[in-house]
Amino acid sequence: MRAVPIAVTALSALLLLTACDDGGEGGKSGQPKKGACAIDKVSMEVGPASVAPAAGDTGEVPVGFTNQSAECTLDGFPEVRLAGAGDSETFDVPPAEGARAQKLTLAKGESASFTLTYVRGPRGEGAFDAKNLHVVFPSEAGDPSTRVFRWSYGPVAGDGDGGFEISVGAYQKVGD
């Protein structure tokens, strides 16, 4: 009877996987998983960018960071927002179509990055005149922490459906 050994193996695997789960929620829920990378524990920079020179052109803005503390993890997609003048108007940047999130573990001194891809829009005419880029990480207290960078890459084109032509790629490990 082969059913019993297969059932026992499957049950054992399920128990092992359950034992690895800390019960925390990652991502945008506000509750980081144990060991999640914290924004105050990484150095971060935006650029250099491949700026879209004119309306209708596509540009890419990389965001890189290096873990400055104990080993930590990144899980899910980066959480980023664009904001207008005075941060009065903001919107969440969606993940790139077809992109797959991955879980990364960064030791102290290791780096990762993600890229924003956008289409430059004409001033006005349904484009978003972005002024700031907000990069959000979960914090150990459960409240998100944000770093703000100046957006100097021009307005972001509207997509015709009330959104904008910008997306964020998955976290990628830098180097070996």
Side-chain angles (χ1 to χ4, degrees):
M1 263 176 56
R2 293 177 48 86
V4 173
I6 291 173
V8 170
T9 302
L11 180 59
S12 297
L14 180 61
L15 290 173
L16 283 173
L17 288 173
T18 303
C20 292
D21 185 9
D22 66 5
E25 296 279 328
K28 295 185 180 184
S29 68
Q31 293 298 321
K33 284 192 172 252
K34 184 178 179 186
C37 294
I39 204 161
D40 61 340
K41 306 285 187 194
V42 299
S43 61
M44 190 177 298
E45 74 175 350
V46 174
S50 172
V51 179
D57 292 339
T58 299
E60 292 185 338
V61 180
V63 177
F65 48 95
T66 301
N67 180 19
Q68 302 295 322
S69 190
E71 183 176 276
C72 65
T73 59
L74 298 165
D75 198 3
F77 280 94
E79 186 176 345
V80 293
R81 294 185 187 102
L82 278 186
D87 289 344
S88 60
E89 185 180 359
T90 65
F91 72 90
D92 292 336
V93 177
E97 189 174 318
R100 293 182 155 220
Q102 60 180 333
K103 185 175 182 177
L104 297 180
T105 299
L106 298 178
K108 182 176 183 176
E110 287 188 319
S111 299
S113 68
F114 60 85
T115 301
L116 296 159
T117 302
Y118 74 101
V119 175
R120 187 171 183 148
R123 290 240 179 257
E125 301 179 37
F128 187 78
D129 191 18
K131 300 296 182 192
N132 293 313
L133 170 67
H134 294 244
V135 179
V136 183
F137 274 45
S139 73
E140 292 182 19
D143 299 321
S145 296
T146 304
R147 288 229 183 120
V148 179
F149 298 91
R150 179 102 176 107
W151 180 268
S152 58
Y153 313 110
V156 178
D159 66 5
D161 290 327
F164 301 97
E165 292 192 51
I166 185 168
S167 62
V168 62
Y171 290 114
Q172 300 291 319
K173 209 166 203 179
V174 175
D176 297 324

